Structures are given as structure tokens and as C-alpha cells.
Amino acid sequence: MLKVNRDDKRPIWQQLLDQAIYNITTGKWPPGELLLPSRELALLIGVSRSTIQIVYEELFSRGYTVTSRRGGTRVSEWTYVPRPSEEVPSQGPIPPELPILNDSIGHLHRWFGDKNNRKIDIDFSPHVPYLDEHFKKNWRHSFLQASTETDLDSWAYGDAYGYLPLREQIKRYLSLERGVHVDTDQIMLTSGAQHSIDLIAQALLQEGDTVSVEDPGFPASWIAMKYRRMQVVPVPVDEYGLCVDEVHPQSKLVFVTPSHQCAVGVIMSEPRRQQLLHLAEGHRFWIVEDDYDSEFRYRGDPLPTLFSKSPQNTLYMMSFSKMVAPGIRLSAIIGPKEAIRQLARVHELTYRHLPIMEQITLTHFIEHGHFMRHMRRVRNVYRRRHEAMTKAIIKTGLSEHFTLSGVETGLHMLLEANPSFDEQAVTNIALEQGIRVYPLSQYCLECDRKGWVLGFAQVDEDAIDVGIHRLAEMLG
């Protein structure tokens, strides 16, 4: 018999339903058993008939019972397996071993600096840009305005290429600021550099293809490619950038950061650029140009892109992670129409489209001038911090222990040591003194270059001076 507990906070119908299900699943009500008519059961329990009808309807809809006009309501004829007297905890499927994934995540964590609970006074992170309350205020304003002005159609399934008004703003920006002239269907929005690289691997390469990457270089590039089972070949980098002569002859793609080499910081020389473009045309491979922080140049204007010289061979990656904030997760790939169409098809299949609100907010942020004002403001901040870092390194004598490079552009510079330098031991000592520095070895695939990649975007001038002095004293 079903019972009602008046002290139970659950609705009466829910109490009775749970009891009925228990009786069926434990075999107390065996298959084929006829249940009492709803009116009769309601009188026995002391509830309304409608309550019992709700219970019976739920049992039927979940497949516990069957009904017929003449046969009434009966327990379904299902196979019942009684529980053993001693219950054994059920075991779910075991996830497969994924050593490539585990190794890749481990490398990414080490590259980002293994953020642990250790107290850090000064963090020379090369990954995070400068953000302040002024930016937060303007972003919040754009978010609220965009939320208010957005029509309901924007909340439907979106375009796999990305939000068209934002692509139009990017098109305009590239034309005015970078000398890159494209149509909107040559622009596809993604959620960051790793997402872009992953899509390129899926859409434009086949498993087992050979790709060439800078070494040292951007770890996420070769990690993503390896995870997609590409044959990744490291190519050395010298003071002129990528050593083009050593690009693997079977390469289907070459990944480069020509405007500010990721890690070493050098600018790819014009002869090397021409050599790479000529090689790509002759061997018909893709150049992936990651232009991640070249907007911040301290001597002259930003350099011309490889894409502007060879748009048929080049996929140009731009990111708002450094220009605005990593948290908005918005980037773009610019390339030939056919290639971008292929990327969009893969994106539509695997992700469908990007979240709409960040795209609409960034569109408003750019349209209403907040973006360019933000860029002007942070450029001034970076120029001061860049100068403070350079002066402190020279003043403290660190430049006598290390070779300083990568100072013309971007948000980091390199202090390179000789091969005998015990990079990890000294990095750990710096951590004990409250300073986080970023070892060059974490940017290396096979090469054994040593040193520190030091970012200055989120460290003010006083902290830069203190941090560099501490490092110099530690080495002295």
C-alpha cells in the first residue's frame, strides 16, 4: 500500500510515484500485476483521484506500466533482475589512456608557469596584457549597450564564420592599421590561437602530414598539431628569424611568428621572408602567420604582413588576447576564400558557432571607439614598462650574464644564457624569492637553448626595477 507522509516536503504525487517505482523495480509489484483503479486507490490512501491519475500517467510515460481500456493498468512485462544480497558498486566505462593529451597538458601548464599556491611578489608573465578599471568600465558599458540593442534574431544559431558586424569591423581595422585588404568572407572568428590551429589541422591537413614549426617557438602550435597526429618537424631560429633552409621539404604547413618571434623575439629579416614566400609558392604549402603582439612596436610602425605579400599561400592569425584580454576568447583567421570556407565547414560541424554575447560586445567596443582608445592607452603603458625593463637589465649588469634580444616589438623580451646555464635551478631560486620568470626551455621542441622569457605588460615600473635587481643580486 502506498502511504502519504505529511511531514515530507515533496509533493504528495511525487511521494506516491517514488514509492510505486520502488515497488516495481524491486519486484514487490511483479510484471503483469494489475493496479487498483485510480478512484479506489485514492479512497484507500485518502487523496484526490487527480493525484493518483498524475502518478499513473507518470508511470505510463516512463514505461513502468501499460494500460488498456478493458485490462486496466498493469506493471510492464519487463525482465526483472533482483539485487544481490550484497551489493557490489557498479563500475562505469574506463576512459582510455591518452598519453599525448597528458603530456601536452603538462607542457602547457609548465609553459604558463605552473601557477601554484606559492606567494609571488612579481610575475614577469609574457602571457597576460595590461588591464585596468578603465578597460573594465568601458567593456561593461559595451556589454550593457549591446545587450539592450541586440535584436532577437542574434540569439538564434549563428554563422560559422562568426558575427558579420564584427568581421566587418576587423576588415576595416586590418585595412587601416595593417595594410591588409580582404573581404568579410576571408575572415573567420575563432576562440583563440589554439582553436585556430586546431581548425587548420582538421580542415587543411591530413593525419600524418608534415608541418614545420619554429624551435624555440609557440608551444601551442606544435602541441595542437601533434595531438591531431601530424608529423611535427622543428626548424631552428637565429637572429634573422626562421632558418628557411631547414624547413622540411615535405612540409604541408609552416608556422611562423615573423613580426616578433615567439620566445626569441627577433624580427624575421626581409631576405628570409622573401625566401619563405618563394619556397611556399614553389612547394605549395601553407604559411600560418601568427601576428600575436606586433601591434606594440617601439621603433617605427608595425611591419608588413606575409599575408599582404602572398595572400594565396598564407593564413594570417590575429588575436584579441593581447590587444584586449584573453578572457574574451576571440581571435580571427584571415586567408583565401576557399580555405576559410573549408575552416568554416569544420567549425560548423564541430562547434556550430561562437557564443554571441562576446562577439556583439567586442563589435560595440570597436564601433564606439573604445578599442582604439584602449590601444593608445596601453601602448603608452607598454612603452614606459619596456623602457623600464631595458634600463634595469642594463643598469644591473644582467645584460653581461645574458644576451638581450626581442626589444623592438611586443610584450616580452629574452635574456638568453649560455648552454651550461642551470635554467631550472635558478628559476626555482627566483620563485623562492617571490619572482616568477619563464624558462626559454619551455618554448623549445628539440633545441637546448637556455634563458628567460620576461614579460612586462602586467608589471609596473617600480616592480620591474625591484624584480630585475633581485634577479641580478641572485646571480651575482
Side-chain angles (χ1 to χ4, degrees), residues 17 39 71 78 141 240 265 271 282 338 340 391 401 442 458:
L17 177 63
R39 190 187 305 276
W78 61 354
H141 172 74
Y240 304 109
E338 286 299 321
I340 297 300
K391 284 184 176 179
H401 295 275
Q442 297 304 326
Q458 63 170 357

Side-chain angles (χ1 to χ4, degrees), residues 167-223:
R167 287 188 285 133
E168 289 171 343
Q169 289 298 321
I170 291 172
K171 170 188 172 181
R172 182 172 179 271
Y173 175 80
L174 288 172
S175 177
L176 294 175
E177 299 293 326
R178 303 296 284 121
V180 173
H181 308 289
V182 292
D183 297 326
T184 52
D185 57 358
Q186 290 181 260
I187 301 172
M188 180 183 160
L189 303 179
T190 69
S191 65
Q194 286 165 260
H195 183 202
S196 298
I197 295 165
D198 188 52
L199 284 173
I200 289 169
Q202 292 183 69
L204 302 180
L205 299 173
Q206 294 182 346
E207 186 174 319
D209 278 352
T210 299
V211 299
S212 293
V213 299
E214 298 169 318
D215 187 20
F218 181 45
S221 65
W222 71 69
I223 287 172

Side-chain angles (χ1 to χ4, degrees), residues 74-356:
R74 295 181 181 274
V75 176
S76 295
E77 293 285 348
W78 61 354
T79 302
Y80 167 68
V81 180
R83 294 174 180 268
S85 56
E86 293 185 7
E87 291 190 3
V88 178
S90 60
Q91 298 290 325
I94 299 174
E97 294 290 334
L98 297 173
I100 296 178
L101 177 64
N102 295 334
D103 291 347
S104 298
I105 292 297
H107 193 140
L108 281 178
H109 286 174
R110 292 190 298 274
W111 173 52
F112 271 105
D114 273 334
K115 303 295 190 272
N116 49 36
N117 294 325
R118 191 192 302 266
K119 185 179 183 299
I120 299 297
D121 299 322
I122 302 168
D123 189 343
F124 287 111
S125 172
H127 309 300
V128 184
Y130 170 75
L131 297 171
D132 59 10
E133 289 298 320
H134 191 70
F135 158 76
K136 187 177 174 181
K137 176 184 175 183
N138 287 334
W139 186 264
R140 186 188 304 117
H141 172 74
S142 287
F143 178 84
L144 294 173
Q145 288 295 115
S147 301
T148 303
E149 298 169 4
T150 303
D151 58 49
L152 291 175
D153 290 341
S154 297
W155 295 96
Y157 286 107
D159 191 336
Y161 280 81
Y163 186 52
L164 179 58
L166 178 53
R167 287 188 285 133
E168 289 171 343
Q169 289 298 321
I170 291 172
K171 170 188 172 181
R172 182 172 179 271
Y173 175 80
L174 288 172
S175 177
L176 294 175
E177 299 293 326
R178 303 296 284 121
V180 173
H181 308 289
V182 292
D183 297 326
T184 52
D185 57 358
Q186 290 181 260
I187 301 172
M188 180 183 160
L189 303 179
T190 69
S191 65
Q194 286 165 260
H195 183 202
S196 298
I197 295 165
D198 188 52
L199 284 173
I200 289 169
Q202 292 183 69
L204 302 180
L205 299 173
Q206 294 182 346
E207 186 174 319
D209 278 352
T210 299
V211 299
S212 293
V213 299
E214 298 169 318
D215 187 20
F218 181 45
S221 65
W222 71 69
I223 287 172
M225 291 292 181
K226 279 188 172 184
Y227 190 69
R228 290 294 176 184
R229 292 178 170 80
M230 305 300 162
Q231 298 298 318
V232 176
V233 178
V235 181
V237 173
D238 63 16
E239 67 269 30
Y240 304 109
L242 183 80
C243 296
V244 180
D245 287 335
E246 299 193 41
V247 169
H248 194 282
Q250 301 301 318
S251 292
K252 301 295 184 183
L253 179 148
V254 176
F255 183 93
V256 288
T257 51
S259 295
H260 185 229
Q261 204 279 327
C262 181
V264 179
V266 297
I267 295 170
M268 193 174 189
S269 69
E270 186 59 29
R272 289 278 177 87
R273 289 169 183 249
Q274 294 298 328
Q275 185 184 8
L276 179 61
L277 294 173
H278 180 74
L279 189 66
E281 290 176 8
H283 288 74
R284 298 188 68 179
F285 61 70
W286 293 106
I287 297 171
V288 175
E289 177 183 14
D290 187 0
D291 199 23
Y292 66 103
D293 70 355
S294 69
E295 299 291 340
F296 309 113
R297 183 160 163 78
Y298 308 104
R299 301 174 187 171
D301 296 326
L303 297 170
T305 65
L306 296 175
F307 178 85
S308 61
K309 297 181 178 181
S310 183
Q312 73 279 4
N313 288 93
T314 307
L315 297 163
Y316 177 80
M317 286 171 43
M318 65 172 291
S319 174
F320 290 96
S321 292
K322 292 293 193 294
M323 291 192 288
V324 182
I328 66 172
R329 303 312 300 150
L330 283 174
S331 298
I333 307 174
I334 294 89
K337 292 183 180 182
E338 286 299 321
I340 297 300
R341 183 181 296 115
Q342 186 93 323
L343 289 166
R345 292 177 69 196
V346 172
H347 194 230
E348 185 172 16
L349 176 66
T350 56
Y351 299 91
R352 191 62 186 90
H353 63 85
L354 299 178
I356 189 62

